[in-house]
Amino acid sequence: MPGLVSVKTPPQTPPLRILVPQDDHQIQNHGEESETRIPKTRSPVPKRTPSPSTSRIKPSPDRNSGKKTTPEKPNIDESSLDNPDLGPFLLKLARDTIASGDSPNKALDFAIRASKSFEICAGEDEPSLELAMSLHVVAAIYCSLGRFEEAIPVLERAIRVPDVTRGSDHALAAFSGYMQLGDTHSMLGQLDRSIACYDEGLKIQIEALGETDSRVAETCRYLAEAHVQAMRFDEAENLCKKTLEIHREHSAPASLEEAADRRLMALICEAKGDYESALEHLVLASMAMIANGQDNEVAAIDVGIGNIYLSLCRFDEAIFSYQKALTVFKSTKGDNHPSVASVFIRLADLYHKTGKLRESKSYCENALRIYAKPVPGTLAEDIASGLTEISAVYEAVNEPDEALKLLEKAMKLLENTPVQRSTIAGIEAQMGVIFYMVGRYGEARSSFQSAMAKLRAIGEKKSAFFGIVLNQMGLACVQLYKIDEAVEFFEEARGVLEQECGSCHPDTIGIYSNLAATYDAMGSVKYSNLAELASESRTLCYPVAYLFMFLLIEDAIEILEYILKVREEKLGTANTDVDDERKRLAELLKEAGRARNRKAKSLENLFDSKSNRKKEVTKRWSGLGFRT
């Protein structure tokens, strides 16, 4: 039963690029072209090389190519915006400015004025696709400037412009707006809102194109990746199955599309603990990539296969897969590429698990040398992610100081980047875990508090990750004798994890266990305080104190009876965890002077009956114990 788990960096989101239609009268479909993108998952899911996806189109100008001459900013009177020829002209200027790599602010000015012109010239009863398109461009430029909050109202307005009942052009314009809005929310770390937008876009696309269109498959995969990032694996699996079915109908056997689908399905199966199915999907994906001559993709799949073998404790086969991938990456990308460093990290993790600590640290040092002098073009986010993974290895080999240094470096790489708030929150939570492990509880509480504030700010207060952070915050408060705060965090964590994981999930059961210990602690402390007051004032506080203690101990007993019932059903009566819970329950029953109730209450009734009870304590607790 986990009470304290190591928290890794939460899911990162893909970069958002400027979407500029190449035709003044064309709304681009997000699924018309393909691009490789890599979803990343974080704890509690093991870090793995995920499936690349041929996702929706996100064109970006090639700024390294020869620069074009930027048109001079024309001197246009705002009063002339009612000219129907002005909107297309200004939108073309905006597009040319972006393509030339010149000032995005200048392009933004052109695009905003184009939108105003389209709006003025549009008829009252005639939705303007040109207006919707220009708003998409305005929002994309805001995003390229890092002004994501300003892009959101523009896109919300853009999706209200098309009338989906007027045909496929309007439907696809609305679809494009929803998907772009979802990308923007994703860049802000607002995964729930992002998924809601993608879901609306998918519904519109299916209505316009039908359920078996190949472009629908691309959107289904994109939405499945978002669900993976939000750790909603059942929804992701259903969408990925649908994607595979559509591609079987439209694509040749062993196609690149099917290979990408299978890599994503492998990631989902692995996250759910179905390693054999994950391995089967990866082998089929590898065969498809080999048939299509995609050597680098085959190497990436080999890393995934190595991860599965590592999870299955088939260490020799894992080493073979990692070494195959390492050879290919070194020959095709160079010795200092981040892909090489990522394989070094996987090997470091493997050798740590096999007890070869010297080899593990050696591979960590090799990866750190690459991150110290990365190849040009390496993203700071990739380096920060690698440092976070290496810190986890150092934490595992009992070098917390080195792990903290690496996490601090990762934080510095991501500072002043508001779109990385969820990633930074994950790093802060991981630092909090290490502080807790070394007994620096005040610093642990501060780290968890900062992480929680960021997660609340970006709307992630209902995710399983947030629930785990709440649990760890509660444990830190317990160590600091702040029992009243601890119970609030445990109760909030319980609500989140019941919603996201269910009442029988191991993490949820861990929260129940901590709540039981907290209730017992509160009862003992309250009784002690009131009894002390009674002895000083010679009042009738003794009966009140005893009653308060009795009620809270009853709370703890009922929770532990439920935990024991669930664990006996799931693990059997002889399991060591079950035995531990049985001993804890016996202690409380002895204190309360009664026998175990074999018919445990449902958790819904149990917690509903306790939810309005006010509990306050001071700086002591009983010896029942917390699960850490």
Side-chain angles (χ1 to χ4, degrees):
M1 177 192 305
L4 177 67
V5 295
S6 178
V7 181
K8 311 301 179 190
T9 310
Q12 292 178 337
T13 50
L16 182 67
R17 300 188 176 95
I18 296 177
L19 176 66
V20 184
Q22 297 300 314
D23 188 323
D24 291 346
H25 302 286
Q26 174 188 359
I27 299 293
Q28 294 193 2
N29 182 356
H30 278 67
E32 289 176 354
E33 295 182 14
S34 64
E35 175 190 349
T36 299
R37 60 188 300 279
I38 299 179
K40 298 182 180 179
T41 59
R42 295 295 182 262
S43 181
V45 188
K47 291 177 178 293
R48 297 293 182 257
T49 304
S51 164
S53 166
T54 52
S55 295
R56 304 174 292 107
I57 180 170
K58 297 182 189 175
S60 173
D62 184 1
R63 297 188 179 184
N64 294 324
S65 59
K67 285 193 175 184
K68 300 177 184 178
T69 303
T70 305
E72 292 295 329
K73 182 175 178 179
N75 186 14
I76 298 174
D77 185 1
E78 296 288 336
S79 62
S80 65
L81 291 177
D82 59 352
N83 185 341
D85 296 327
L86 189 58
F89 172 68
L90 289 170
L91 194 60
K92 183 178 184 304
L93 286 178
R95 185 174 62 242
D96 291 344
T97 303
I98 294 170
S100 69
D102 207 341
S103 170
N105 288 303
K106 186 185 295 185
L108 179 63
D109 179 62
F110 290 142
I112 289 174
R113 289 196 287 164
S115 300
K116 291 180 180 178
S117 178
F118 285 128
E119 185 173 18
I120 291 171
C121 296
E124 292 184 2
D125 299 326
E126 189 67 28
S128 171
L129 291 181
E130 290 84 358
L131 173 59
M133 176 176 56
S134 62
L135 290 171
H136 293 169
V137 175
V138 170
I141 299 172
Y142 274 133
C143 290
S144 72
L145 293 168
R147 295 159 64 179
F148 300 100
E149 289 85 356
E150 295 176 74
I152 287 175
V154 175
L155 288 169
E156 288 174 343
R157 181 183 170 205
I159 60 179
R160 293 193 298 266
V161 171
D163 182 356
V164 295
T165 63
R166 291 176 177 257
S168 61
D169 287 344
H170 285 265
L172 291 178
F175 161 78
S176 179
Y178 272 113
M179 300 306 283
Q180 194 172 346
L181 180 58
D183 286 344
T184 308
H185 281 304
S186 180
M187 291 298 292
L188 289 170
Q190 299 167 348
L191 286 180
D192 288 341
R193 296 179 185 177
S194 175
I195 289 172
C197 291
Y198 295 150
D199 197 46
E200 287 298 320
L202 178 61
K203 289 176 184 177
I204 292 172
Q205 190 183 41
I206 289 174
E207 185 69 25
L209 303 176
E211 291 192 358
T212 60
D213 192 279
S214 59
R215 290 166 290 183
V216 171
E218 300 301 325
T219 307
C220 284
R221 185 195 295 139
Y222 201 81
L223 181 54
E225 291 172 356
H227 279 298
V228 168
Q229 292 176 4
M231 293 182 284
R232 299 172 183 172
F233 301 111
D234 290 336
E235 294 90 337
E237 184 177 13
N238 292 334
L239 286 163
C240 200
K241 285 178 179 177
K242 184 173 183 178
T243 303
L244 273 167
E245 291 171 2
I246 296 173
H247 279 145
R248 285 195 195 101
E249 181 178 339
H250 290 279
S251 304
S255 65
L256 292 175
E257 291 80 10
E258 181 183 342
D261 295 341
R262 291 196 179 279
R263 291 179 69 182
L264 181 56
M265 184 63 84
L267 183 67
I268 296 167
C269 291
E270 182 183 2
K272 297 179 71 174
D274 187 359
Y275 299 116
E276 297 295 343
S277 296
L279 187 59
E280 179 183 350
H281 283 294
L282 285 176
V283 170
L284 291 172
S286 180
M287 293 169 62
M289 290 297 182
I290 291 171
N292 287 277
Q294 302 288 324
D295 291 341
N296 279 326
E297 298 302 326
V298 172
I301 294 173
D302 282 335
V303 174
I305 291 173
N307 294 337
I308 301 297
Y309 283 139
L310 180 58
S311 298
L312 294 170
C313 297
R314 294 162 63 174
F315 300 118
D316 291 338
E317 292 164 290
I319 290 173
F320 178 72
S321 294
Y322 289 145
Q323 292 292 352
K324 277 177 59 182
L326 192 61
T327 301
V328 174
F329 284 146
K330 283 185 174 181
S331 63
T332 59
K333 298 187 176 184
D335 291 344
N336 291 323
H337 195 274
S339 298
V340 176
S342 69
V343 181
F344 283 152
I345 297 170
R346 301 262 59 82
L347 286 165
D349 186 33
L350 184 151
Y351 281 115
H352 158 254
K353 290 180 178 177
T354 56
K356 299 179 179 179
L357 301 186
R358 181 179 297 178
E359 290 86 346
S360 177
K361 291 180 66 175
S362 176
Y363 278 114
C364 284
E365 291 166 0
N366 290 338
L368 286 172
R369 278 194 289 269
I370 293 175
Y371 289 131
K373 294 182 179 180
V375 296
T378 303
L379 297 176
E381 292 88 341
D382 292 337
I383 298 175
S385 175
L387 293 176
T388 303
E389 292 183 357
I390 297 171
S391 76
V393 178
Y394 276 110
E395 179 187 342
V397 299
N398 200 26
E399 293 193 18
D401 292 337
E402 190 63 31
L404 285 171
K405 288 179 184 177
L406 292 173
L407 290 174
E408 288 169 356
K409 287 182 181 178
M411 289 273 288
K412 288 181 180 178
L413 287 170
L414 297 175
E415 64 185 3
N416 300 323
T417 53
V419 298
Q420 295 296 333
R421 282 182 294 180
S422 60
T423 304
I424 294 172
I427 295 174
E428 288 178 330
Q430 190 169 343
M431 292 175 71
V433 171
I434 298 175
F435 284 135
Y436 184 95
M437 291 171 60
V438 299
R440 295 159 64 177
Y441 302 119
E443 292 168 278
R445 182 175 179 272
S446 297
S447 292
F448 291 138
Q449 196 168 36
S450 179
M452 287 165 49
K454 289 182 176 64
L455 292 171
R456 290 185 195 276
I458 61 177
E460 287 302 302
K461 57 185 178 182
K462 294 183 179 180
S463 66
F465 173 73
F466 184 68
I468 292 171
V469 177
L470 284 169
N471 177 51
Q472 293 169 326
M473 180 69 166
L475 291 170
C477 289
V478 166
Q479 296 296 337
L480 293 169
Y481 305 97
K482 298 178 181 292
I483 309 300
D484 52 343
E485 291 185 26
V487 74
E488 293 179 5
F489 290 122
F490 287 143
E491 287 179 343
E492 186 178 358
R494 188 245 327 154
V496 171
L497 289 177
E498 279 183 342
Q499 179 69 31
E500 293 298 316
C501 305
S503 60
C504 295
H505 191 276
D507 287 342
T508 312
I509 295 294
I511 299 295
Y512 295 156
S513 182
N514 287 340
L515 265 175
T518 310
Y519 288 156
D520 176 56
M522 292 174 69
S524 299
V525 172
K526 197 67 175 180
Y527 175 78
S528 175
N529 292 341
L530 290 176
E532 184 178 349
L533 177 62
S535 66
E536 292 177 357
S537 61
R538 298 183 180 181
T539 65
L540 296 177
C541 285
Y542 276 116
V544 176
Y546 183 80
L547 177 61
F548 195 93
M549 179 186 74
F550 177 78
L551 289 173
L552 288 174
I553 290 177
E554 284 296 310
D555 289 358
I557 288 173
E558 291 180 21
I559 296 172
L560 281 177
E561 284 177 338
Y562 175 82
I563 293 171
L564 187 55
K565 177 178 177 290
V566 171
R567 286 192 173 278
E568 285 176 342
E569 291 174 354
K570 298 286 184 181
L571 304 175
T573 57
N575 185 273
T576 54
D577 282 342
V578 174
D579 191 50
D580 289 343
E581 298 294 354
R582 193 180 293 116
K583 290 177 181 177
R584 300 173 74 199
L585 179 58
E587 291 177 16
L588 279 183
L589 290 172
K590 182 179 179 181
E591 187 175 348
R594 69 176 180 84
R596 176 184 173 189
N597 179 14
R598 294 284 174 176
K599 295 181 179 180
K601 283 187 179 182
S602 72
L603 260 289
E604 181 180 356
N605 294 332
L606 175 62
F607 284 116
D608 283 348
S609 67
K610 320 281 188 244
S611 59
N612 296 321
R613 190 175 296 167
K614 182 68 176 177
K615 308 177 182 74
E616 293 182 358
V617 298
T618 55
K619 297 185 176 180
R620 292 172 55 200
W621 73 84
S622 69
L624 176 59
F626 291 82
R627 305 297 297 214
T628 55

